[in-house]
Amino acid sequence: MSVLVYIEHVDGAFKKSALEAVSFAKAVGTLVNQPVYALSIGEVAQSELEKIGKYGAEKLITVNQAELKQFLNQAYASVIAEVAKSVEAETVVLSNSFSGKGMAPRIAAKLDAALADGAISLPRLSGTAWTIQKTAFSNKAIATEELTGSKRVIALTPNSFEPKEEPTSITIEPYQPSLSPDDLSTVIKDIVRATNQVSLPEAEIVVSAGRGMKGPENWAMVEELARVLGAATACSKPVSDAGWRPHAEHVGQTGLAVTPKLYIAIGISGAIQHLAGVSSSKTIVVINKDPEAPFFKVADYGIVGDAFDVVPQLIEAFKTYKNN
Amino acid sequence: MKILVCLSNVPDTTSKITFTDNNTRFNNTGVQYIINPYDEIALAKAVELAEGGKATVTVIHVGEADAEPTIRKALAVGADEAVRVNAFARDAWFVAHQIAAFAKSQQFDLILTGRESIDYNGVQVQGFLGELLAIPSVSIAKSLQVNGDEITVEREIEGGKEVLSVSLPVVIGTAEGVAEPKIPNMRGIMTARSKPLQVIDAIDVPVLSKIVHYDTPPSRGAVQLISKDDLAQLVNLLHTEAKVI
C-alpha cells in the first residue's frame, strides 16, 4: 500500500503547487503509515528530479517517452492510474491545477476511487472513513466530504498547504507505461504562455482591478504594482466582459476562484459574485473612493481614496519597503 | 452532428448560502434556481453550431421535477429536445453515470458541459463522462471550433492557453469565451412548450463520497481603515501584522 503523488512541471521545472502536493501526500502517508511515491511525466532534468526528495517522497517514478513530452489529458490520466495500480496506491494526490482538474475524474473513474477535488485540508481518519474539507458554493461555504471505499483521489487546491522540507533519500526509478493509441489521439498544436507573468491560480499575491480604473488604458499602474510585488494581475467581471482585460483574469463566482495570501482590490465595489471568488484569500486590501463600497465589509485593510491618486503612491511605498 | 448539452440547476449567483438540518443540507428555501452559468455557455455554443440545421441539440438534466423551468428555458434558447433523469443529483459521480447511460444508446458526436457548476464547483462530470464513454475530454475550454470530424479547442492553462485538436466524439467543459449566453426570445418561449421533454428513470450507482457537513467560512474582523496619506503604515501592517509580504 502507498500514497502516490503526481508532480506537475512546466517546461521541466516543478510547480510550487506540485511541491505542495508532495508535502500533502507525505502528511497523508504519515497518517496512514504508508510510503509516498512521486510520479513525474515528461522531460525533467536530474537536478530538478532530486529536489523531490526534500519533501518526503521515498521514490520518484519517472515516465519519459517521446509521446508524453506534452501534457495529454487521457494519456497522463492513464499513466497515473496504471502506476497507482502498480504501486498499490490507496490514495492518489495531485494538484487541482487546470490540468489536474481535467485528469482527476478520469483517474478516479479508472481506479473506482472516491474523488475529493478542491481539497483544502488534510483528511481526517476514523477507522476506514476519511473526511476532507473542500470549498463549495464558490467559496461561500466549506463542505466536509466523507470518502468511502478503499481508494481515493485527492486534488489539492493550490496555496492551501504549505510545502515543508522533510529530506529523505530518494531513489529515482524509470517506468515504461503501456499506452493505447486512443490515449494519444489528442494533438497539441500550440502552447502560448506568457513567461514573464505570475500565474494567477497559484499566485501568492494578486492585484485586481475593476471598473474604477475607467478604461483599459489605465492598467499600467495595476501592472506596475503587480510587478513590484511579484504578483499576478486579475480583474472583475465587468472589466473582462467589456474586453478591457482577458477572461482568464476574471476572478469571481463565474470566473476563477483564487486563494492568495494577499488580495489587493482596486476600484472594485465588491458584488457578492466577485467576493465569492476571492473571499478565501488570507488578507484582503481594498482601495475604493466610495466609503460605502460593500467590499470594505469583508476587507482586512481599507483605503478610501481615488485609485489614480492612491495606486502610484502605493507603488512607491512598496518600492521603499522592497529596497530596505 | 448530434450534440448533447448537460445542464445543472443551481442557486442564482446572488443567493444567500445557508444550511439546514444541523448544517448537513443546503437550505433552498426562497432560493431562485437558474441554469448553471457555464452550462448556458455550452448551450449557446451548441445552438450556434446547430444553426441552419447543421446539428441537433439535446439537453439532459439529472434532477427532480422542480427543475423543469430550467429545462424549458434551455428549450426556449434553442435546444431541440430535453431529457430529465428523474432522481436527486446526489453528486457528480452519480450524475455522470446517468448521463453516460443515456448517451451510450444515442451516439452523440459532441457532449458539452459547463467547466464546473457554481454550487459544488467540481470539475468532475466532464472527466467522468469521458472515462465512462471511453472518449477524450477537455476540461476548461476557452474557445472551440468544429471542422468536419475534428474539433479545435483552446484550453486554459496557468498563465496562458493551449490549442489542441481532437477527433469527435469528445466531451468538452466550456468556460467564458466559447459563446455568449443566449436570452430566449418570445418565439423560442412559445415553441419550447411543445418540444419533447422525456423523463427517464435513474440507474443505480454505488456511493463513493458524501458531503456530511457544511460550514460557513470564518468571518473577518472589522476593516482597518488606513489614511491614503499614510500608505507606509499599510505596508508596515502587511509585513508585521498580516505577515503576507
Side-chain angles (χ1 to χ4, degrees), chain B residues 167-180:
Chain B
S167 309
L168 301 174
V170 62
V171 187
I172 296 177
T174 58
E176 288 175 313
V178 167
E180 281 301 314

Side-chain angles (χ1 to χ4, degrees), chain A residues 224 227-228 314-324:
Chain A
E224 172 68 359
R227 196 191 57 76
V228 170
L314 195 55
I315 292 168
E316 290 312 311
F318 280 123
K319 274 187 183 161
T320 310
Y321 164 79
K322 293 271 169 185
N323 290 337
N324 293 335

Side-chain angles (χ1 to χ4, degrees), chain A residues 74 106 110 117 137-138 142 144 146 148 187 189-190 192 250 254 273 279 281-282 298 300-302 321, chain B residues 13 38 119 121 124 131 135-137 161 163 165 176 208 210 212-213 215 220 224 226 239 241-242:
Chain A
Q74 287 89 277
R106 296 196 77 114
K110 283 175 195 289
D117 65 337
F137 294 96
S138 308
I142 294 164
T144 303
E146 189 177 293
T148 45
V187 180
K189 292 189 155 170
D190 194 17
V192 186
H250 163 202
T254 56
Q273 294 93 336
S279 58
S281 308
K282 184 168 177 274
V298 297
D300 299 285
Y301 304 104
Y321 164 79
Chain B
T13 55
Y38 295 116
D119 47 6
N121 308 105
Q124 302 188 2
E131 200 57 38
I135 58 176
S137 56
K161 65 177 183 185
V163 184
S165 82
E176 288 175 313
L208 290 178
K210 171 171 99 196
V212 289
H213 191 79
D215 292 290
R220 290 167 204 273
Q224 272 190 61
I226 292 151
H239 179 61
E241 190 179 74

